Structure formats: C-alpha cells, structure tokens
Amino acid sequence: MLRSDAPRIDPKRRQGLDYKKKQFAQPSFKQLEYPFRLNFYQIPPTAEITLEQFEQWAIDRLRILAELEACSFRNKSYQETTSHLEPLLKKFLPLSANSSAAAGTVDQRLRDERQKDHYSHFILRLAFSGTEDLRRRFSRVETMLFKLRFQQDDGRERRAFVESLNFDWEIVSDEEKRSLGEQLIAATPAVRRLEEESWFKVHWTRVPELVEHRSVLLHKGKAYVPMREQTSMILTEFTNRLDKALELTSRALPRLDEDDRLTPILNHLSKSFATPDSTYTSDSDSPLPGAAIHAGSIDPLSNHFPLCMRNLHQTLRKNNHLKHFGRLQYTLFLKGLGLTLEDCILFWRQSFKLINDDTYNKEYRYNVRHAYGDVGGDANRRGRGYAPYSCQKILTEHPPGPGEAHGCPYRHFSVDNLTNLLVSTGISDREVLRGVKEDVEKKRFHIACNRVFEHAHKGEIRKAKEEFGWGSAELDTIVHPNQYFKRSYLLKNLGKGEVRMEE
C-alpha cells in the first residue's frame, strides 16, 4: 500500500546534484577536426561563432540549395547543373579537397571552409525542421548537394571517407558468388563474368531505388549490390540518417522559443525557403549605366518590368490610381531603379490625373517622401527609407484584397487571369504557359517567373553566353523584381555603348 504522506525528495536537493552549478557551468567543447571534404553531419558543431556568421553562413548555403532546387525543377541535366553551380559554389560555399592544399593535408583554409559547411547545414536544419514539407524539401536538396560533391570528390579521399563511415555491408564471399553466379550476372547489367565485379549484400529496404529499377538481385530478403552502385547506397544512407535527424530536431525546437536572438533569424530563413530572400541596394545617385531613368521614361522602361510591376503599371495607367500597398510596392521598385525623389513625386503627380494639386500634396506626397527617407523618424531618415521589396516579401506579406493590384500575379491571380495577363504582355507560347501553370499549381512561383524571363530573353541570353561570356553568376535565379529589370535591360541592350554588366 502506498503512503501518500511519505516525504518526497526534491530532485533539485538530491545529494551530489548541484542543479544551478550544472545549469550555468561554463561548457568546454572540443574543436572538431575535418579530415574529409565530405560530411554526413552526424556530430553537431560545438564551438562558438558570432551571430553575424550564424546568419550569413546560413544565407550563403540557402542560395546554393535554392539554385539546386531551381535546376531540378527546370529538368536540367547533371552536366548543366554542375556547370551552373560551379561558380556559385566557389563564391558562396567553397569546399576544397585535401589534395588542393600545399602539403596535401588539412590546412587552416580547408578547416574554415569545412567549418562553414558544417555549421551552415545544422543552422538550416534548425530552420527547416518545423514542418513536414520543409523537412522533406530540405532533405531532398541536401541529398542533391551531397551527391554533387560525392561524384566530384577525389577518388582516394572518397574511398577513405566511405571506409570511415563503417557501414554494415556484408561482402559476398567467393563461394556464395559462385553459387549465385548465373543469377548475379542476369540481375547486374553490363556484367558478363563474375570476375569483373564484386558484390555486397544488405537488407533490400536500404536500396529501394535499385530495387525499383531492378538493378540488383533479391535473395532471401537481401539485395546483392554491385560495387559500382555504391553511390546509390551511400546517398540512400545519407537521406535516411538526415530524415531521422530532422525528426529529432523538430522535437527539440520548442526549447529555442525562449532565445530571442536565434528565433527571428530561423523564422526568416524558413520563410526564405519558399523564395530565397535577396536584399537589393540601390543608390539613386548612381542609376543603371546607360539607362535614362526619369519620370518621363517609365512607360518605355516598363517593357523590362517583371509581371508584378507590369501589372501595377498597367493598372495605374488604366485607373489613374493605385491603392496604398500598390503605391508602396511600386514606389520602392522605382526607387530601386534609380528614380530620384523629385522625379518619383513628379511621376505620381502626372499619373494621378483625376485629382488636383492640393489633394495630391495632402494625401500622397508625404508617403512618397517617407518611402525615400526624406521625412519620418531619425531611423527612417538615416536608413534612407524603405528597401525595395524582394520576391519573398511580396509573396508572404499583405496579400491583395478587392480592388488592389499589388502582390505577385503568379501567386495571387487565378490561372485564367494569369494566362490572360501573360498573353497581354506577349507571352503566348503554349509550352511556356503550360509550364507556368504547372509551376503555379506546385507553388513554385519564382520558377514560373524565371521561366517567363528566359522565354522572353532566350535570344539575348544565348548571345550573352556566346559573345559576352556571361556565366552562372550573371544568370542565376532571379529573386528580386529590381534584379529582373536590371538583367532584362542589360540583355536587351547588349553591346550598346555605355550599357555594361557591373561586377
């Protein structure tokens, strides 16, 4: 019989347990070594980094993952994906082999590169483990990145890395190989003699891709995998371990809610996975070289606008008015083009033809000045007003209501209205329209926008690559309306005097 009045021991007062000393003790972590270029990301990082590094490293990795996903959505081949990502990887996430070091050993440069790769993976793992959809997408693109690196790795280093993983693979003995000889040869393409290949066996559930393509022999629940299919085995193992780790990370996420330093950064990163965020800085005093940007040139320049801004411009010309969020989105876009404050005020005054000067000055002029940082609080003036909206911000904030024209047409329009708008801008190719419809249905809005851009500029893009040496860095995925305009203007004016691609 239990005694309800028995004294209970406070767990914090148990002998030999000093709760507060354990809670606030200064941790001493060992600096991790990185003997290999590749990483299965099994051990969490433990050393200290700054908040700036925490955010910037994650953003750099996110740019690479976004480009990988974009290449996959566009059905690019392995060679096209590799050539597209090579300059971006060198710029944002370099990861060199041991053989690239002077002495052939891991030096400080390699340690720094591998530390950034290690930490950025775990930071994004925190950011993208919140929902099933984010976990699935993150696992998919991380596996794609690992596959790309694995196939490009130095052969000797790759073998050493695989051996360090200590996989539970059972090598098929010569005796068993002879007993199953005919079946092994029949199940393994391009193998005519047993001496040409070696096999190892694992449970068939560990190689579902090979089983699906009937590339292995199944015998008593075991899959007999040829050594040449080792890559598929390793990728499957990488994905399985990452999926389990993401599930465990999602359970630990509530503990981060009290950390007001990391939570906003992680929330921002998770939102950026829909469309990678991009900050666009533009100085009104230094407009696009060769472009005459003033109040009277906006109409002809609108041919270079992305669909969201083109819709705002057409609505403004049709109705001689835009509602608040439409005016704000369009004003900041014009500011990003390099339109001066005075010209922007003049542009809006000329566009609002149905009101008099007094009404315009009282109700609209101040908002334009505030967006440019000419008025408002000290912080607004010091920061020179608001930054032009990125695709991510347009997609995720202030969805349009009745009578409003702002937002992203690929997300906020019905398929029929979107098709009509595209046709009105000169996009009538059935294959392009069908691809845009598929992208929109799968919520790949920025891919749909890039698809339209590539179709509208296909001749100029080919010329830029062949004659002007443009590469992946100049033609990466567009994630900002002002980036769309700048690239469109440069492509349409290739080789014309002052117009040039800036570094």
Side-chain angles (χ1 to χ4, degrees), residues 63-100:
R63 293 177 74 106
I64 299 300
L65 298 183
E67 288 298 325
L68 261 175
E69 192 173 48
C71 289
S72 172
F73 289 157
R74 297 177 191 177
N75 296 319
K76 288 192 174 184
S77 65
Y78 171 77
Q79 290 76 13
E80 291 173 330
T81 301
T82 302
S83 61
H84 178 74
L85 281 174
E86 185 177 359
L88 299 176
L89 283 167
K90 288 180 179 178
K91 182 177 180 181
F92 296 109
L93 203 64
L95 197 63
S96 306
N98 293 346
S99 56
S100 67

Side-chain angles (χ1 to χ4, degrees), residues 2 64 66 71 92 102 214 252 257 259 309 311-312 334 373 418 420 443 459 470:
L2 297 175
I64 299 300
C71 289
F92 296 109
R214 300 185 178 183
D257 290 344
D259 193 328
M309 301 304 168
N311 177 56
L312 284 170
L334 296 176
L418 174 61
N420 292 335
K443 301 187 183 303
W470 284 29

Side-chain angles (χ1 to χ4, degrees), residues 10 40 65 133 176 186 262-263 291 334 341 379 404 418 420 458 494 500:
D10 187 345
F40 253 46
L65 298 183
D133 179 58
E176 187 176 8
L262 302 184
T263 303
L334 296 176
L341 172 59
E404 294 182 313
L418 174 61
N420 292 335
K458 56 186 177 183
L494 279 173
R500 62 189 184 275

Side-chain angles (χ1 to χ4, degrees), residues 149-288:
R149 288 172 167 173
F150 186 83
Q151 293 178 335
Q152 294 179 337
D153 201 19
D154 177 82
R156 184 170 54 186
E157 293 182 31
R158 181 170 55 198
R159 285 193 297 271
F161 170 73
V162 173
E163 290 172 2
S164 72
L165 296 174
N166 295 321
F167 285 138
D168 184 21
W169 295 349
E170 184 180 349
I171 301 296
V172 177
S173 65
D174 292 338
E175 182 181 349
E176 187 176 8
K177 191 162 65 171
R178 284 191 296 271
S179 66
L180 298 172
E182 293 183 4
Q183 294 170 277
L184 286 171
I185 292 175
T188 308
V191 174
R192 297 181 179 180
R193 297 191 305 169
L194 290 176
E195 295 77 13
E196 295 177 358
E197 186 60 275
S198 299
W199 285 263
F200 54 89
K201 56 183 179 181
V202 294
H203 195 273
W204 71 270
T205 55
R206 294 180 63 181
V207 285
E209 182 181 346
L210 297 178
V211 173
E212 179 184 358
H213 292 96
R214 300 185 178 183
S215 301
V216 293
L217 170 67
L218 292 182
H219 181 68
K220 296 183 178 180
K222 298 287 186 178
Y224 287 71
V225 184
M227 284 296 180
R228 68 182 66 181
E229 297 291 352
Q230 187 184 64
T231 300
S232 178
M233 279 281 299
I234 293 171
L235 292 177
T236 301
E237 192 70 27
F238 178 87
T239 304
N240 291 340
R241 294 189 186 190
L242 180 56
D243 288 341
K244 292 177 182 178
L246 286 168
E247 187 66 36
L248 292 174
T249 304
S250 68
R251 299 175 189 174
L253 276 182
R255 303 178 190 175
L256 284 175
D257 290 344
E258 298 177 2
D259 193 328
D260 55 4
R261 303 170 305 160
L262 302 184
T263 303
I265 297 175
L266 296 175
N267 289 339
H268 177 75
L269 290 170
S270 63
K271 290 179 181 178
S272 298
F273 206 25
T275 299
D277 197 8
S278 172
T279 54
Y280 189 92
T281 57
S282 176
D283 190 343
S284 295
D285 297 329
S286 57
L288 189 66

